[in-house]
Amino acid sequence: MADGGETTATATATATATATALVALGGKGSSLSPSSLHAVSAGTARVRVDSSARDRLASSPPAANRTSPAAANLQISFPPYFTAAETRASLAVLLNKLLVSGGPGTGTALVDLISDSLNSAEGYEGFGNLAVTNEEVSISEKAHSSLYGISALLDHLSTALSTTVDAVAALSCEAIKADVAVFNPTDSGDGFVSKDEIGVASDMKVLLNGSKLVGKVESEAISSILKVHATLRRVVKSVHSEVRVYLNSSVKIQKTGSTTDGAAVVNVLWPLADVLLSIGESSLCRAKMDLDAIAADALKSSLTGMFEKECARMDDLENEKKVLNDAYVGREFEKFVHELYVLCGCVWKTVVWEAITAFVALEGSELIEKGKHEEINGVQADKKSEKKKKKVVLGRGTSVLVQLIKDRFQRNGSDESVSLEKLVKDLLLFLDARGPEFDHFLNKVKDIVDSNESRRLPKLPKGTRDFGKEQMAVREKAFSIITEVFKKHGATALDTPVFELRETLMGKYGEDSKLIYDLADQGGELCSLRYDLTVPFARYMAMNGLTSLKRYQIAKVYRRDNPSKGRYREFYQCDLDIAGQNVRMGPDFEVIEVLVELLDKLNIGDYEIKLNHRKLLDGMLEICGVPAEKFRTICSSIDKLDKQSFDQIRKEMVEEKGLTAEVADRIGNFVKERGPPLELLAKLQDTGSKFLENEGSVHALKDLEILFNALEKSKSINRVVFDLSLARGLDYYTGVIYEAVFKGATQVGTIAAGGRYDNLIGMFGTKQVPAVGVSLGIERVFAIMENQRRKC
């Protein structure tokens, strides 16, 4: 691919002599793209300098800026290890920089030389010592033509590779009868699956749609396709956005020094080196599996010998990466981009070999045996006597690609006899990115993935998800455990409508009220989808005049939030609430005990329950000097401390919510307090504590003392952390508040939360009924359980 030498130079010169495509440079609105630069470097396109741009460089400068003509000597040279393609790409970039950066008086000597060289059948053989203007020298020295030229070649090749690897991997999936369930990720919009992964999965499903060959073979080389190929797409897009700027930005010749540090270019390209290594590794693994899948032993042995002789090994790719690293450390930037181009060529050849092994595993035996049996001793064989083979059903996309390759053999006269050596040679030529037929293959792949009917299938709204067979098994198991625990503690089931009157929900959630989904007016009623299950429960209690009830409810709720990891717009909540008069802190203790039992029985792993008291929080805000009318809005800010730093929260409290910096800093000193419940409680109750001077805080500390002692006796206190930064932003909390947080590797955030709300039921116009509850965010628990299931 990227190896240079006489053969490459000769091929390029021959191609240049017959090139018909033209790349226009210097004209108004024209720009140099990576694909057009690749064509020029390969000799399949000629350059045409816009006449008006050349005339501008040849003209005299305005009289006010006119000085005596300045002449200088310039010698253009490139490292001896550059291939012909790299040299031509560098010259093309320099030509474009001269055209877009030069002004009247710059001169045309260098422009003419470069354009003639690029369009010459002999190719570039050096210019010697040139007499040019100072402006031409300045532009040449600051153009970074080698870095930008090879970067553009890498952009073009890696872009083509990002499409090719999917098609080749799809062929391998069929050759080895792979389990392709990995290509069915749920695009829930929650951030767990990247858009590039969804794109790869979609393309793989299109290519494999209808295949009867995929099976149950599991392999890391298959399961890694989504992440590795998606990473390649992401890196390629990042490189492309930078390269387009590199190619067409002008050089500021008046300034001293380099307009762009070479290190900046290398930093953009470095992620490409990492992902190319991953692509090469996974492609090598699949190629070896393809070889193992070849049924005919002799054919397998012959192809394995060729593969081991001609295909790069993982050691080769890793050694190339070490060379890259050495070039980077030594700030040899031209060496770096060259070696990355070499690595890209090695990986490309590896992918082509994967295509060869997959094709031979699928179709090679038939093609090669056909050549042997079509004619025996000059007599046509009786085709009816041939054993009928079971029809192989490829995917709708892969079958088109396989037929494309077969048609090529027929066009080249290979219908009568195909040797393994000829088959391999033809496929290497066909999939050579600089070959004349590769664009046809690439466009065919794009046509397949772009036009297939699965592209027109409906998609899910962001923040929602489907539950397939595996997910339903996890969900049903979780619901069974949760329901069993709730019933064990004497709770009865309740169901409420999925939407409520808007007036029922408004004024209960503080700043989160903006997340409520409003429905269109229906018959004079303004309704909204329920935000949680607590307010509908309070409405049910008030509407029916109930003063005591222990109920559980498992149902979906809706929030007009921005989806992110673990955050959905539609999700299940599993609620337990205890309403009615009771012994002090008795229901609070029971709810936390139920939560501990639930999380232990779900067996999700390590977790902690952060706990605080709303009256203690209010007392803290009063001690710090926060006005009473700002308590709830400041609580909403403090509630974000699990997602943002205190500096960010401080800025919000001061700049957006009107606190003084001194008050915000006092809050910062308090919210840092966190530790074992009884130890921190003793500290806050110690003589001299400012909390003892606040009536609400004293009441809260007594509540917590009762609760912590009960939890210590039940041996559940080791799961609890007393945390003064816990705020819970909902307006209706009046007492103890708590959140359960998963501490494992799967980052899902809060998995359960709740607290006491003594005034909520009374807000509906009836007498006050004290209540306390907890809500388990089951979607996040699902994520943990599904991850555990995948590891099993």
Side-chain angles (χ1 to χ4, degrees):
M1 258 298 298
D3 47 327
E6 185 179 346
T7 302
T8 306
T10 303
T12 303
T14 302
T16 304
T18 58
T20 56
L22 284 177
V23 175
L25 298 177
K28 186 176 181 181
S30 65
S31 62
L32 183 60
S33 68
S35 58
S36 59
L37 186 69
H38 176 268
V40 172
S41 73
T44 57
R46 297 165 61 86
V47 296
R48 180 176 62 80
V49 174
D50 182 77
S51 58
S52 60
R54 188 186 180 284
D55 291 344
R56 184 185 73 251
L57 299 181
S59 64
S60 299
N65 300 329
R66 189 172 300 157
T67 58
S68 58
N73 291 326
L74 174 67
Q75 189 160 15
I76 297 177
S77 62
F78 299 100
Y81 49 76
F82 268 24
T83 65
E86 290 173 310
T87 300
R88 289 175 60 80
S90 303
L91 286 172
V93 170
L94 178 55
L95 175 60
N96 194 52
K97 292 292 183 182
L98 288 164
L99 292 170
V100 300
S101 306
T106 298
T108 60
L110 200 49
V111 166
D112 293 341
L113 274 172
I114 294 174
S115 59
D116 289 345
S117 176
L118 290 174
N119 293 333
S120 168
E122 287 75 24
Y124 172 76
E125 296 179 353
F127 296 144
N129 199 28
L130 303 174
V132 294
T133 65
N134 282 331
E135 286 83 357
E136 288 175 299
V137 172
S138 181
I139 293 172
S140 300
E141 290 176 346
K142 298 173 184 178
H144 293 295
S145 57
S146 296
L147 293 181
Y148 293 166
I150 301 175
S151 295
L153 296 184
L154 286 164
D155 179 4
H156 176 81
L157 290 177
S158 58
T159 299
L161 183 64
S162 67
T163 299
T164 304
V165 288
D166 293 342
V168 173
L171 291 172
S172 289
C173 286
E174 293 183 307
I176 64 181
K177 296 178 171 54
D179 181 357
V180 294
V182 68
F183 304 134
N184 295 307
T186 304
D187 185 8
S188 58
D190 67 349
F192 279 110
V193 183
S194 75
K195 291 190 180 301
D196 289 309
E197 285 184 37
I198 294 297
V200 172
S202 176
D203 290 349
M204 293 297 289
K205 286 192 289 186
V206 169
L207 289 161
L208 294 168
N209 186 20
S211 175
K212 300 298 183 184
L213 290 181
V214 293
K216 297 183 179 180
V217 176
E218 295 183 356
S219 167
E220 175 69 20
I222 300 300
S223 61
S224 65
I225 287 174
L226 276 190
K227 285 195 176 298
V228 174
H229 291 200
T231 302
L232 177 62
R233 291 189 181 195
R234 187 163 56 253
V235 170
V236 163
K237 284 187 281 190
S238 174
V239 169
H240 182 69
S241 64
E242 296 291 337
V243 167
R244 287 300 297 263
V245 176
Y246 293 161
L247 293 181
N248 297 289
S249 58
S250 61
V251 176
K252 307 298 182 185
I253 60 177
Q254 291 82 7
K255 294 187 177 181
T256 59
S258 176
T259 57
T260 302
D261 186 3
V265 178
V266 171
N267 287 336
V268 169
L269 295 176
W270 186 261
L272 184 59
D274 288 329
V275 72
L276 284 175
L277 204 64
S278 298
I279 289 289
E281 181 179 12
S282 60
S283 183
L284 268 176
C285 290
R286 289 191 298 272
K288 292 175 182 177
M289 295 177 73
D290 293 337
L291 287 169
D292 290 338
I294 298 174
D297 290 339
L299 181 60
K300 179 193 298 187
S301 176
S302 298
L303 186 60
T304 300
M306 298 172 69
F307 173 80
E308 291 176 348
K309 180 181 178 181
E310 297 187 29
C311 184
R313 298 184 297 273
M314 197 60 211
D315 287 346
D316 298 327
L317 300 179
E318 289 175 347
N319 288 336
E320 190 59 44
K321 181 74 184 296
K322 291 176 183 177
V323 174
L324 277 173
N325 188 64
D326 291 342
Y328 179 77
V329 172
R331 297 183 69 81
E332 298 176 272
F333 300 133
E334 287 184 334
K335 177 77 170 174
F336 178 90
V337 292
H338 164 75
E339 294 297 341
L340 184 54
Y341 186 56
V342 172
L343 175 62
C344 189
C346 289
V347 171
W348 189 285
K349 194 170 183 180
T350 301
V351 172
V352 173
W353 266 103
E354 181 192 349
I356 291 169
T357 55
F359 179 78
V360 171
L362 291 169
E363 301 285 340
S365 295
E366 180 182 344
L367 285 175
I368 293 169
E369 291 301 315
K370 179 180 179 182
K372 292 179 179 179
H373 296 297
E374 281 283 321
E375 191 171 304
I376 302 173
N377 295 325
V379 180
Q380 185 72 21
D382 185 358
K383 292 187 178 181
K384 292 182 180 179
S385 65
E386 289 185 14
K387 209 171 184 179
K388 287 188 177 180
K389 293 185 178 181
K390 185 178 179 182
K391 185 178 180 182
V392 174
V393 181
L394 298 170
R396 293 183 185 176
T398 52
S399 62
V400 173
L401 299 180
V402 167
Q403 190 58 49
L404 184 68
I405 296 171
K406 286 182 173 182
D407 291 345
R408 183 183 186 280
F409 290 141
Q410 293 176 358
R411 287 197 307 272
N412 292 348
S414 300
D415 193 37
E416 297 177 1
S417 176
V418 180
S419 67
L420 180 60
E421 292 77 10
K422 182 173 179 56
L423 186 149
V424 169
K425 182 179 179 182
D426 277 5
L427 280 174
L428 285 170
L429 288 172
F430 183 49
L431 296 177
D432 182 351
R434 292 187 299 181
E437 295 180 277
F438 176 73
D439 283 347
H440 180 50
F441 170 81
L442 188 64
N443 291 332
K444 181 62 70 174
V445 175
K446 291 178 179 179
D447 288 344
I448 291 169
V449 298
D450 288 341
S451 63
N452 195 283
E453 69 264 11
S454 65
R455 285 291 186 181
R456 297 190 289 273
L457 291 176
K459 60 182 292 186
L460 284 170
K462 291 181 179 179
T464 64
R465 63 177 295 188
D466 289 324
F467 285 83
K469 180 176 68 174
E470 292 82 3
Q471 291 82 15
M472 284 300 297
V474 173
R475 189 170 91 178
E476 288 171 357
K477 177 184 176 182
F479 282 171
S480 175
I481 293 171
I482 294 165
T483 302
E484 179 186 345
V485 172
F486 285 163
K487 287 183 176 180
K488 172 185 171 184
H489 287 267
T492 57
L494 175 68
D495 192 23
T496 57
V498 74
F499 56 89
E500 298 273 351
L501 291 175
R502 190 177 302 172
E503 62 189 43
T504 299
L505 303 181
M506 299 310 293
K508 313 297 190 304
Y509 303 108
E511 293 184 0
D512 283 351
S513 293
K514 64 181 180 290
L515 303 181
I516 294 174
Y517 270 109
D518 292 329
L519 302 178
D521 184 2
Q522 297 292 332
E525 287 188 332
L526 298 178
C527 298
S528 301
L529 295 178
R530 61 189 174 203
Y531 177 90
D532 64 7
L533 301 178
T534 306
V535 171
F537 168 65
R539 188 266 308 152
Y540 175 82
M541 291 286 296
M543 194 176 76
N544 290 281
L546 302 178
T547 57
S548 178
L549 181 63
K550 183 189 289 187
R551 82 89 173 85
Y552 76 89
Q553 184 174 358
I554 300 175
K556 289 182 177 181
V557 298
Y558 301 85
R559 297 183 183 178
R560 193 163 51 85
D561 208 346
N562 289 322
S564 59
K565 284 193 175 182
R567 188 179 294 274
Y568 294 85
R569 289 175 171 174
E570 177 193 63
F571 56 95
Y572 274 97
Q573 283 191 338
C574 304
D575 279 26
L576 173 74
D577 290 87
I578 304 173
Q581 297 294 336
N582 214 312
V583 296
R584 186 174 182 179
M585 302 308 294
D588 308 75
F589 166 73
E590 182 178 0
V591 167
I592 294 176
E593 283 287 285
V594 169
L595 178 57
V596 171
E597 183 177 347
L598 266 181
L599 297 178
D600 286 346
K601 285 197 171 183
L602 288 169
N603 195 29
I604 61 171
D606 196 16
Y607 65 90
E608 68 178 17
I609 300 173
K610 298 192 294 184
L611 189 146
N612 200 3
H613 197 295
R614 182 53 76 83
K615 289 182 179 177
L616 187 66
L617 186 63
D618 288 349
M620 178 191 78
L621 297 179
E622 186 176 333
I623 291 167
C624 291
V626 177
E629 67 273 12
K630 290 181 183 261
F631 278 11
R632 295 288 75 85
T633 186
I634 297 302
C635 278
S636 294
S637 296
I638 295 173
D639 191 43
K640 302 172 187 174
L641 278 170
D642 60 335
K643 308 178 192 72
Q644 301 177 23
S645 68
F646 180 75
D647 287 341
Q648 292 172 300
I649 300 303
R650 181 184 184 278
K651 182 177 181 181
E652 177 182 304
M653 290 190 295
V654 173
E655 296 183 6
E656 297 179 25
K657 299 190 175 179
L659 290 190
T660 65
E662 293 77 14
V663 170
D665 290 337
R666 289 189 207 118
I667 293 173
N669 292 330
F670 278 113
V671 297
K672 294 174 184 175
E673 296 285 357
R674 184 181 191 276
L678 289 171
E679 289 182 21
L680 183 52
L681 178 66
K683 178 180 178 180
L684 300 183
Q685 290 179 322
D686 197 16
T687 303
S689 170
K690 293 183 180 180
F691 285 108
L692 299 180
E693 303 171 7
N694 183 276
E695 183 180 350
S697 296
V698 171
H699 180 88
L701 292 172
K702 184 60 179 175
D703 281 349
L704 293 174
E705 182 179 354
I706 296 169
L707 177 61
F708 291 160
N709 286 330
L711 289 170
E712 185 178 38
K713 289 178 183 177
S714 70
K715 304 189 185 306
S716 297
I717 200 165
N718 62 314
R719 291 292 194 181
V720 178
V721 176
F722 189 6
D723 189 340
L724 291 188
S725 72
L726 180 64
R728 300 295 297 148
L730 304 183
D731 280 359
Y732 53 65
Y733 288 122
T734 58
V736 171
I737 50 177
Y738 31 82
E739 283 185 357
V741 180
F742 180 60
K743 296 171 70 176
T746 306
Q747 299 297 312
V748 296
T750 301
I751 54 178
R756 174 162 286 279
Y757 51 97
D758 288 344
N759 302 329
L760 181 59
I761 297 173
M763 291 175 69
F764 292 104
T766 62
K767 61 181 180 180
Q768 298 289 1
V769 179
V772 63
V774 66
S775 178
L776 185 68
I778 195 65
E779 249 74 16
R780 296 182 179 184
V781 174
F782 288 159
I784 299 168
M785 295 176 74
E786 287 171 356
N787 189 52
Q788 290 174 338
R789 186 184 179 99
R790 283 193 293 268
K791 292 180 179 179
C792 293

